[in-house]
């Protein structure tokens, strides 16, 4: 659709979603061209994006609106030049997708939901849960000024969680024909938690994508079974 551009001194507001660039605080991102060749097309399909593209763009269900909102915040995070603001925007994206009540404790609830949505095994789930707890500890350090937790803030952790949140969004969108409402998704994740899934949901990508994101985080699984950053 048409894009409205309003200029105020050196600030830009871009419509229709009113994304903004404040040149006083950061430089606008520079586009990086890529070659849309056969290799790219295969990767696009393997990670599940090909299967959901039309559904996300055209869908109007409650769950797809949450996916679209998550994608917008992830895009804001990836284009943000600031590391700390990127943490905040990525967390908002994840919360847009997987928070269903304002009273939910974010760190514990989201670490569990991500683990059960993406993890194929108990070990995978334990690692994903720990990664998300590290991420939310880092976010807490940014938002509340806790010096100890701010030490967890790193580009490596943010990049990994961006991938994890993207994979969560892709899996939710790929199953939007079976789970179209937020409460249905909450109930399904709870059923997986107790070992009795209400239905089988497809994985539109291989477990290798989740494992690579976990490895990128820097959160290691030691032989004792303890997870540390």
């Amino acid at each position: 659709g048409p894009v409205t551009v309003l200029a105020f001194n050196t600030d830009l507001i871009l419509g229709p979603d009113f994304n903004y660039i404040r040149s006083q605080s950061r430089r606008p991102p520079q586009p990086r061209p890529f070659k849309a060749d056969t290799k790219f097309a295969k990767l696009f399909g393997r990670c599940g994006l090909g299967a959901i593209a039309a559904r996300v763009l055209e869908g109007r269900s409650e769950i797809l609106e949450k996916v679209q909102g998550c994608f917008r915040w992830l895009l804001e995070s990836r284009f943000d030049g600031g590391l700390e603001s990127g943490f905040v925007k990525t967390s908002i994206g994840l919360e847009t997708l997987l928070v269903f009540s304002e009273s939910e404790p974010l760190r514990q609830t989201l670490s569990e939901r991500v683990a059960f949505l993406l993890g194929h095994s108990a070990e995978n789930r334990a690692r994903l849960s720990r990664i998300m707890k590290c991420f939310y500890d880092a976010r807490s350090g940014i938002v509340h000024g806790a010096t100890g937790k701010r030490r967890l803030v790193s580009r490596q952790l943010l990049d990994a969680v961006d991938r994890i949140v993207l994979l969560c969004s892709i899996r939710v969108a790929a199953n939007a024909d079976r789970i179209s409402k937020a409460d249905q998704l909450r109930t399904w994740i709870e059923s997986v938690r107790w070992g009795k899934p209400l239905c089988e949901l497809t994985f539109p990508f291989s477990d290798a994508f989740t494992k690579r994101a976990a490895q990128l985080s820097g959160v290691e699984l030691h032989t004792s079974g303890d997870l540390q950053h």
Side-chain angles (χ1 to χ4, degrees):
V3 175
T4 304
V5 179
L6 304 176
F8 301 96
N9 295 325
T10 54
D11 291 355
L12 295 177
I13 300 177
L14 308 177
D17 292 326
F18 293 96
N19 299 309
Y20 64 87
I21 298 172
R22 295 188 182 278
S23 59
Q24 297 100 324
S25 59
R26 61 187 174 92
R27 294 180 179 180
Q30 297 298 315
R32 292 183 296 174
F34 65 90
K35 188 176 182 181
D37 53 12
T38 303
K39 181 179 178 181
F40 170 82
K42 288 181 178 179
L43 179 61
F44 191 83
R46 283 201 302 269
C47 70
L49 288 169
I52 69 162
R55 182 174 292 174
V56 171
L57 291 172
E58 298 172 5
R60 292 294 181 268
S61 70
E62 180 184 2
I63 204 67
L64 287 176
E65 287 178 0
K66 290 177 76 67
V67 171
Q68 290 163 355
C70 181
F71 281 164
R72 284 194 291 269
W73 279 109
L74 267 184
L75 187 64
E76 288 282 340
S77 176
R78 298 305 297 176
F79 277 110
D80 197 313
L83 179 59
E84 293 186 348
S85 54
F87 265 79
V88 174
K89 290 175 179 178
T90 293
S91 68
I92 295 173
L94 180 60
E95 291 156 26
T96 300
L97 182 69
L98 293 181
V99 169
F100 310 118
S101 169
E102 293 181 1
S103 62
E104 292 177 327
L106 296 179
R107 182 180 184 271
Q108 184 65 31
T109 301
L110 289 172
S111 65
E112 290 179 357
R113 286 177 180 163
V114 167
F116 286 112
L117 191 58
L118 295 184
H120 286 263
S121 67
E123 183 177 301
N124 292 155
R125 289 169 179 168
R127 189 173 193 181
L128 286 166
S129 176
R130 179 58 181 155
I131 291 168
M132 298 313 300
K133 286 178 178 177
C134 285
F135 176 80
Y136 266 89
D137 285 344
R139 173 193 174 277
S140 177
I142 293 167
V143 174
H144 303 295
T147 303
K149 291 181 178 180
R150 286 175 70 97
R151 295 193 184 102
L152 295 170
V153 176
S154 70
R155 175 62 62 182
Q156 184 179 7
L157 180 58
L158 177 59
D159 286 347
V161 173
D162 281 348
R163 293 188 185 194
I164 289 169
V165 175
L166 177 61
L167 292 173
C168 286
S169 300
I170 291 172
R171 190 171 190 211
V172 170
N175 291 279
D177 56 338
R178 299 180 184 181
I179 295 180
S180 61
K181 297 183 180 297
D183 193 58
Q184 291 174 333
L185 178 59
R186 179 191 62 77
T187 303
W188 182 85
I189 293 174
E190 283 296 307
S191 73
V192 176
R193 179 183 180 186
W194 295 108
K196 295 183 178 180
L198 293 176
C199 63
E200 292 298 325
L201 299 186
T202 183
F203 265 101
F205 47 81
S206 75
D207 190 38
F209 286 93
T210 306
K211 288 180 178 178
R212 278 197 289 269
Q215 290 168 356
L216 178 62
S217 71
V219 177
E220 299 296 337
L221 179 62
H222 295 270
T223 55
S224 64
D226 294 328
L227 286 160
Q228 299 179 3
H229 188 278

